[in-house]
Amino acid sequence: MFGKVLSLFMLASAALLASGDIAGGTKAEQLNIPAIVMFFIFVAGTLLITYWAAKRTKSAKDFYTAGGGITGTQNGTAIAGDYMSAASFLGITGMVYLKGYDGLIFSIGFLVGWPVILFMISEQLRNLGKYTFADVTAYRLQQKQIRILAALGSLSVVILYLIAQMVGAGKLIEILFGLDYEYAVVLVGVLMVAYVAFGGMLATTWVQIIKAVLLLAGTTFMSIMVMAKFGFSFEELFTAATKVHSKGEAIMSPGGLVSDPVSAISLGIALMFGTAGLPHILMRFFTVSDAKEARKSVFVATGLIGYFYVLTFIMGFGAIVLVLGDHSGAGGISQYWDTATNALKGENNMAAVWLAHAVGGDYFLGFISAVAFATILAVVSGLTLAGASAISHDLYANAFAKEGVKVSEEKEMSVSRYATFGIGVAAIFFGIAFEKQNIAFVVALAFTIAASANFPVLFMSIFWKKLTTRGAVLGGYIGLISALVLVILGPVVWSEIIHADSLKAAVDAVKATGADAAAIAAAKAQFIKDTAIIPYKFPAVFSVPLAFIAIWFFSVTDSSADAARCEAEFDAQDIRCQTGIGADGAVDH
Amino acid sequence: MTQEMVDKIKNNPKYQKLVSSRSSFAWTLTIIMLVVYYAYILLIAFAPEILGAKMGSGMTTVGIPVGIAIIVFSFAMTGIYVKRANGEFDDLLKEVKKEIEGEMK
């Protein structure tokens, strides 16, 4: 069965690539043979792993957590892989390329959540949970309501994050492989469904580990090549970059990205606590055997992620000098510049990819393209698994199971596979719908929701004795809804998506006056600012405290019998949380 | 877990020591991390010119080593916690488990 499916995928993808070559025509770039060859090697390799993993994925525990047999180092590498997404690799490098120092602010925000996860929730998750983080939040609270809340929180984050990944994938493949955007998105969707539906967590983990190693190797090489051109002197690299960049020396300082204090703090809250609320990351703590390995995972992950962010900073500055400052194109302008759109070919997120060409030629461009594609595939697989688990484990097997009836493992697993397919279809649909959005901001929105809806409930359920079901449910929904509403009313969704037509009209009006690029950009920024009802891209500074206050308020005012029960059961939960007694082996809640 | 066992573990002095020393260690490190990060964020928000100040005559600004230092610091913090938790705390936990098992027999 799997062999057939495998060959079908290979055929289908070959056909897609071929048709892209013809249909792509003027829109897409020419076919990149080294990239395609390397990508096919990766796909073939990962499908073989999926085949191997599929034979070992028999129980629900295998499917959700790879049987709990992943080591701390492997899991840490896979966590790093989950985190070093296309949004990080392409988005952060692109942001450094575009804004300089501001890119580093983002990187640091993404990283500092990790130590806090280690100190506060990693071993607690391992000791209390089974398959999803809702196992922890629902440990002593009412299963049904808590699991519905957790599933909604998880699915919102998964879908938003998937949008970012799919958009990155589509653009990348369109440019690098000569395949149309829509076909590229479909190809990614089909492959991720194959990994997850057949190989479960085991395949997802190994795809993630392989990709993390490839990505770290590729980016290390690229950074060394950049530094070698400047005699391994940061000073020379920065000096050269300030000469080339239109913002000049301003790229060396915090700039417009976080322009006011509220935005800066809100960004910090979203990134730090958002990491601790990402369902695909939280799920990874259930793949290791005990608390010791869970801790080791975070140590390895933090080291690899931190190292990677230092590299993105070097690559971003390298791209300013070597990509933007290139003179080998027609008329002495950069060969990576698209004169028709007056922007970088494929826009700013392609900075890392063009840098690969600038330092390593066609073959290295091919390698990095294949790695970037692999990155997207690995991350979307992890997300899809987390989303499918929320549907099958939290909703189907627990929240909506008939009272007193235990859902069979076979049934739960088959539901998880249908859910995987459903999420695949949704990802493809959204990937196409969101083609034109900035992918780094879409990820930031996912973080806001994770920080406002998932994290507060998880944190309070572990640490606060007096938490009641009512408090957790109302607080969680208030966090989720306020995050969603504030994001929708914010500048990205409200001004740039909902009012896209009037934005375009406003920009065109300025263009018609013959204004220069800076004036057009200023007019665009002004329109976005004026139109947005909430002027903050990251509303976490409002939604996170709101969620915590609501959880507290609706818990302390809860005098129901259930509230007393929740409090009485805290001691047993806390002992298991502290010691892991009862967490080993088969655990049923 | 029976109520009897819960009470036994809760009243075990070594368990109490484990819980209090680990949680105070974890909270201390968390607070240090939060202070470091939000100090950085507040600096960006209220006094970006400090991070934008040039170091010496070159282009490199204060913000660059500060940023890299926060990344290295974060990693070092995880190392410090894992070393103590996987060593001292886990040894203590083993002793607690042994004592409880002895008592339950």
Side-chain angles (χ1 to χ4, degrees):
Chain A
M1 156 77 175
F2 186 82
K4 255 188 202 163
V5 176
L6 189 143
S7 52
L8 207 70
F9 281 139
M10 296 302 266
L11 266 177
S13 21
L16 277 172
L17 280 173
S19 70
D21 185 28
I22 302 158
T26 53
K27 198 180 164 200
E29 298 286 312
Q30 75 222 43
L31 275 183
N32 180 336
I33 301 298
I36 290 170
V37 170
M38 278 181 259
F39 173 68
F40 268 94
I41 293 170
F42 177 83
V43 170
T46 48
L47 286 175
L48 278 175
I49 287 171
T50 307
Y51 177 66
W52 164 81
K55 288 201 289 192
R56 278 159 187 76
T57 301
K58 297 202 169 64
S59 65
K61 187 176 176 176
D62 294 333
F63 182 80
Y64 294 123
T65 67
I70 305 287
T71 70
T73 308
Q74 288 167 352
N75 192 42
T77 313
I79 289 173
D82 261 321
Y83 217 57
M84 297 183 296
S85 60
S88 287
F89 174 45
L90 303 177
I92 300 269
T93 311
M95 200 179 283
V96 175
Y97 161 83
L98 185 67
K99 303 185 175 204
Y101 191 81
D102 280 354
L104 187 63
I105 301 173
F106 254 81
S107 299
I108 290 170
F110 281 124
L111 187 74
V112 291
W114 283 104
V116 177
I117 287 178
L118 171 66
F119 309 147
M120 290 289 141
I121 61 170
S122 66
E123 58 197 86
Q124 288 81 353
L125 275 169
R126 171 58 280 179
N127 284 343
L128 289 174
K130 192 178 172 193
Y131 299 149
T132 64
F133 81 88
D135 292 337
V136 180
T137 54
Y139 194 91
R140 65 194 154 105
L141 307 181
Q142 294 277 344
Q143 292 283 325
K144 185 168 184 164
Q145 298 167 31
I146 289 290
R147 288 202 186 257
I148 293 172
L149 165 73
L152 280 177
S154 297
L155 288 170
S156 312
V157 173
V158 162
I159 292 291
L160 270 170
Y161 224 105
L162 271 174
I163 290 169
Q165 300 300 321
M166 290 309 238
V167 171
K171 283 185 183 163
L172 190 71
I173 299 163
E174 180 178 45
I175 292 168
L176 300 172
F177 296 84
L179 181 63
D180 272 358
Y181 181 89
E182 288 79 7
Y183 289 120
V185 168
V186 172
L187 180 62
V188 171
V190 168
L191 282 169
M192 79 183 189
V193 169
Y195 294 146
V196 175
F198 294 105
M201 183 54 105
L202 190 57
T204 305
T205 302
W206 280 103
V207 168
Q208 204 62 269
I209 291 173
I210 292 170
K211 158 256 156 147
V213 171
L214 288 174
L215 181 61
L216 286 169
T219 48
T220 299
F221 175 78
M222 227 147 76
S223 304
I224 291 174
M225 292 300 282
V226 167
M227 292 312 291
K229 286 194 195 289
F230 300 95
F232 292 94
S233 155
F234 280 101
E235 183 55 44
E236 279 186 36
L237 171 65
F238 295 148
T239 307
T242 50
K243 279 182 189 144
V244 170
H245 204 284
S246 61
K247 290 192 175 76
E249 292 182 17
I251 57 171
M252 301 307 299
S253 317
L257 182 71
V258 273
S259 45
D260 63 285
V262 180
S263 291
I265 294 163
S266 202
L267 171 72
I269 292 174
L271 297 186
M272 192 169 211
F273 299 117
T275 305
L278 295 176
H280 63 300
I281 300 275
L282 296 175
M283 198 177 173
R284 293 227 62 94
F285 290 106
F286 306 121
T287 66
V288 292
S289 56
D290 54 24
K292 201 182 218 99
E293 296 299 311
R295 293 184 200 115
K296 217 189 280 171
S297 311
V298 187
F299 174 66
V300 171
T302 310
L304 293 178
I305 295 166
Y307 170 69
F308 176 74
Y309 283 148
V310 174
L311 298 185
T312 59
F313 192 64
I314 296 172
M315 290 189 294
F317 272 92
I320 293 172
V321 184
L322 302 171
V323 173
L324 185 65
D326 177 75
H327 294 295
S328 60
I333 63 155
S334 172
Q335 60 168 317
Y336 310 107
W337 199 257
D338 186 343
T339 45
T341 58
N342 200 24
L344 198 63
K345 279 182 192 169
E347 295 172 31
N348 296 321
N349 284 324
M350 285 299 130
V353 175
W354 299 136
L355 179 68
H357 184 262
V359 299
D362 284 340
Y363 285 94
F364 190 62
L365 171 70
F367 175 77
I368 283 295
S369 309
V371 168
F373 197 170
T375 293
I376 291 163
L377 274 179
V379 173
V380 292
S381 303
L383 288 165
T384 303
L385 183 59
S389 309
I391 294 172
S392 60
H393 184 63
D394 295 334
L395 292 182
Y396 179 79
N398 285 293
F400 293 120
K402 279 204 191 87
E403 200 75 42
V405 178
K406 191 156 171 19
V407 173
S408 78
E409 236 179 72
E410 291 76 32
K411 197 88 206 249
E412 185 176 335
M413 278 176 78
S414 88
V415 169
S416 70
R417 289 187 168 123
Y418 285 120
T420 302
F421 183 76
I423 290 171
V425 172
I428 291 168
F429 171 79
F430 286 120
I432 291 169
F434 280 77
E435 185 182 344
K436 302 292 179 201
Q437 292 307 306
N438 181 324
I439 61 175
F441 286 123
V442 179
V443 167
L445 303 187
F447 271 74
T448 305
I449 292 174
S452 317
N454 302 347
F455 174 72
V457 176
L458 180 63
F459 185 85
M460 295 295 253
S461 71
I462 293 171
F463 291 100
W464 196 39
K465 188 171 185 165
K466 295 191 185 307
L467 176 70
T468 71
T469 305
R470 189 180 84 170
V473 168
L474 289 175
Y477 279 116
I478 286 170
L480 178 67
I481 292 165
S482 60
L484 273 171
V485 169
L486 293 173
V487 162
I488 288 170
L489 298 180
V492 179
V493 178
W494 194 257
S495 307
E496 292 186 45
I497 298 173
I498 296 174
H499 291 95
D501 291 340
S502 31
L503 173 64
K504 194 174 174 296
V507 171
D508 285 347
V510 180
K511 263 188 196 162
T513 64
D516 61 356
I520 294 168
K524 188 180 172 187
Q526 192 59 42
F527 177 88
I528 290 169
K529 205 178 149 204
D530 292 345
T531 316
I533 297 168
I534 302 292
Y536 304 111
K537 282 173 182 130
F538 316 97
V541 72
F542 308 112
S543 53
V544 173
L546 194 62
F548 272 107
I549 291 168
I551 290 171
W552 169 80
F553 179 78
F554 291 112
S555 290
V556 293
T557 55
D558 187 353
S559 53
S560 64
D562 185 59
R565 185 193 57 80
C566 289
E567 189 176 339
E569 287 180 16
F570 179 78
D571 282 350
Q573 176 196 307
D574 193 46
I575 285 172
R576 175 160 158 182
C577 177
Q578 300 282 357
T579 63
I581 293 171
D584 317 310
V587 180
D588 275 314
H589 300 148
Chain B
M1 207 177 288
T2 59
Q3 192 56 44
E4 188 201 355
M5 195 166 161
V6 169
D7 291 338
K8 272 222 166 77
I9 297 175
K10 245 175 85 176
N11 295 322
N12 181 301
K14 277 185 180 156
Y15 173 77
Q16 289 166 350
K17 189 185 163 206
L18 170 72
V19 171
S20 70
S21 56
R22 187 169 57 196
S23 79
S24 71
F25 189 51
W27 278 104
T28 307
L29 294 186
T30 301
I31 289 164
I32 293 173
M33 203 62 232
L34 290 173
V35 167
V36 167
Y37 178 56
Y38 283 99
Y40 176 69
I41 285 291
L42 290 174
L43 210 56
I44 292 166
F46 290 105
E49 66 281 356
I50 294 177
L51 293 172
K54 280 182 189 153
M55 294 174 47
S57 58
M59 278 297 152
T60 310
T61 51
V62 175
I64 309 272
V66 167
I68 304 292
I70 294 174
I71 292 178
V72 174
F73 180 74
S74 305
F75 180 52
M77 293 286 275
T78 63
I80 290 167
Y81 181 80
V82 171
K83 191 162 186 336
R84 188 160 175 211
N86 280 7
E88 186 191 326
F89 296 149
D90 271 5
D91 292 344
L92 197 55
L93 176 61
K94 258 184 218 149
E95 286 173 37
V96 172
K97 280 183 177 168
K98 216 188 235 166
E99 281 182 14
I100 298 298
E101 265 167 36
E103 279 178 46
M104 295 305 279
K105 262 171 200 166

